[in-house]
Amino acid sequence: MAQQSTSSNHLKNIAIVGATGTSGKHIVQSLLATGNHNVTALTREDTTASMPPNITVHKVNYNDPSTLVSALRNQDALIITMGVRAPPDQQTKLIHAAAEAGVIWILPNEFGYDTANEALCNDIMPGATKKGYTELIEKLGVSKWIGVVCGFWYEFSLGGSPDRFGFDFQGRKVVLFDEGQQPISVTTFSMVGKGVASLMSLPVKKEGEGACLEDFANRFCYVASFVVSQEDMLDSVLRVTKTDVKDWTITKESSKERYEKGMARMKGGDYSGLVLGMYSRNFFEDGSGNHSVTRGLDNEKLGLQKEDLDRFTEVAVKQALGGVSDSYH
């Protein structure tokens, strides 16, 4: 059993929920690549997912808190990555178990838009609930939280349905929200993984002039790969696909009207409406979707290198056309 490295100024033992998930697998890969961490995956008892090599696996039962506490003993940090449809009480149970097990650092299930932006959160339902998790961590008084804000995942969003970034690659159509010129901050899966690994590799307390984990205690860490508008995305798509703008059908739609349409669908029981509403809301002219400007980025503190936009646009195009989705390393 791993021994908690409380006497060290660096985290050693890292537990993660969602190790084989869309973002979780990149986080695990980056953590292992540092050579600094022992990684433990918490999985459901009935899971059939194939786990990455070189990690410890603990099967847990969310209806039996003792299994969660046992899995989290001697862990320095807990990283929670879950889909938006995960049961709301699942993260609550993990936070309580982490406190009982004495886990000092928790990265809650953020990894998206800026939930510190109250106006944005008030307009998007999941954002309104996320604040409760960080408040619970502080109330229990054992752990400290760090929320990773990365905006939308670029390749996932560009290569997904038109409800996301408005692109239909099969039909060569794109819907520009308003004029298509509003920039937002986006991040690739690779950058999220590297950012989390860099964060977990920081010294807990100051060592010289660099950043430390205490700098981020009970606050958000902001990262981004690109700051792009839909016009920027389209320009990249044209380069990657070697097509001309005349080869595409381009229409425009009000971001506000798209948002209202999406939320109306959601209230009517169509869960897909949340996607349309959430994405459209981040393109409002108030700049809520561009945390690079509203908050500033922590990329430099984490030693994150710039990425190539066209490379990840190509990943998105392959995903949309039925090729490779995100295995681009």
Side-chain angles (χ1 to χ4, degrees), residues 114 117 149 185 222 286-297:
D114 184 11
N117 184 322
V149 174
S185 301
Y222 293 90
D286 63 0
S288 292
N290 192 6
H291 59 266
S292 298
V293 171
T294 58
R295 305 294 184 183
L297 295 180

Side-chain angles (χ1 to χ4, degrees), residues 254-321:
S254 162
S255 58
K256 183 176 181 181
E257 290 178 2
R258 283 176 65 88
Y259 163 75
E260 291 174 346
K261 180 167 58 178
M263 300 316 288
R265 278 165 45 184
M266 176 70 177
K267 291 176 182 177
D270 181 357
Y271 192 85
S272 69
L274 175 61
V275 175
L276 180 65
M278 179 171 59
Y279 274 85
S280 301
R281 177 62 183 85
N282 276 267
F283 280 93
F284 279 16
E285 291 183 355
D286 63 0
S288 292
N290 192 6
H291 59 266
S292 298
V293 171
T294 58
R295 305 294 184 183
L297 295 180
D298 295 306
N299 287 36
E300 186 174 344
K301 293 179 183 178
L302 300 176
L304 299 177
Q305 303 299 310
K306 291 183 179 180
E307 293 181 312
D308 180 76
L309 178 64
D310 286 1
R311 176 193 171 200
F312 291 94
T313 295
E314 184 176 4
V315 173
V317 172
K318 289 180 178 179
Q319 171 184 307
L321 297 178

Side-chain angles (χ1 to χ4, degrees), residues 202-224:
L202 291 175
V204 176
K205 300 183 183 300
K206 283 286 185 184
E207 291 182 354
E209 298 298 321
C212 68
L213 271 179
E214 290 290 355
D215 293 338
F216 296 98
N218 295 339
R219 60 168 289 252
F220 291 90
C221 175
Y222 293 90
V223 298

Side-chain angles (χ1 to χ4, degrees), residues 36-279:
N36 298 326
H37 307 290
N38 301 318
V39 179
T40 296
L42 273 63
T43 68
R44 291 183 176 277
E45 292 177 330
D46 59 354
T47 186
T48 57
S50 177
M51 289 293 136
N54 303 320
I55 69 171
T56 300
V57 177
H58 272 286
K59 293 194 173 184
V60 298
N61 181 347
Y62 283 92
N63 293 319
D64 182 358
S66 67
T67 65
L68 299 174
V69 175
S70 176
L72 291 172
R73 292 283 186 204
N74 300 315
Q75 297 296 324
D76 299 313
L78 167 64
I79 301 170
I80 304 173
T81 67
M82 298 186 298
V84 294
R85 299 193 186 190
D89 67 340
Q90 187 166 302
Q91 186 165 199
T92 301
K93 291 176 179 178
L94 285 164
I95 291 169
H96 277 284
E100 186 172 344
V103 178
I104 302 300
W105 296 93
I106 298 177
L107 271 60
N109 193 40
E110 293 285 338
F111 305 105
Y113 58 84
D114 184 11
T115 56
N117 184 322
E118 291 188 8
L120 182 63
C121 290
N122 287 339
D123 289 340
I124 303 174
M125 291 185 209
T129 64
K130 286 186 175 182
K131 187 177 181 181
Y133 297 122
T134 55
E135 289 177 341
L136 174 60
I137 293 169
E138 293 186 30
K139 180 181 178 181
L140 293 174
V142 176
S143 311
K144 301 173 185 178
W145 61 269
I146 302 175
V148 176
V149 174
C150 56
F152 294 122
W153 296 313
Y154 177 69
E155 63 273 53
F156 171 84
S157 300
L158 180 62
S161 79
D163 283 354
R164 298 175 190 170
F165 283 166
F167 284 78
D168 173 3
F169 287 94
Q170 297 283 354
R172 285 193 178 172
K173 301 175 183 178
V174 59
V175 179
L176 298 180
F177 314 152
D178 304 317
E179 296 301 314
Q181 297 176 346
Q182 178 61 42
I184 64 170
S185 301
V186 297
T187 309
T188 66
F189 286 125
S190 175
M191 182 70 87
V192 171
K194 292 173 183 175
V196 171
S198 294
L199 188 62
M200 295 290 91
S201 297
L202 291 175
V204 176
K205 300 183 183 300
K206 283 286 185 184
E207 291 182 354
E209 298 298 321
C212 68
L213 271 179
E214 290 290 355
D215 293 338
F216 296 98
N218 295 339
R219 60 168 289 252
F220 291 90
C221 175
Y222 293 90
V223 298
S225 297
F226 317 114
V227 178
V228 286
S229 66
Q230 284 182 291
E231 282 192 345
D232 296 327
M233 298 178 202
L234 179 57
D235 286 343
S236 180
V237 167
L238 296 179
R239 291 191 297 268
V240 166
T241 59
K242 296 180 172 55
T243 57
D244 190 86
V245 68
K246 68 178 182 295
D247 299 320
W248 291 71
T249 300
I250 301 174
T251 57
K252 295 180 181 180
E253 187 176 349
S254 162
S255 58
K256 183 176 181 181
E257 290 178 2
R258 283 176 65 88
Y259 163 75
E260 291 174 346
K261 180 167 58 178
M263 300 316 288
R265 278 165 45 184
M266 176 70 177
K267 291 176 182 177
D270 181 357
Y271 192 85
S272 69
L274 175 61
V275 175
L276 180 65
M278 179 171 59
Y279 274 85

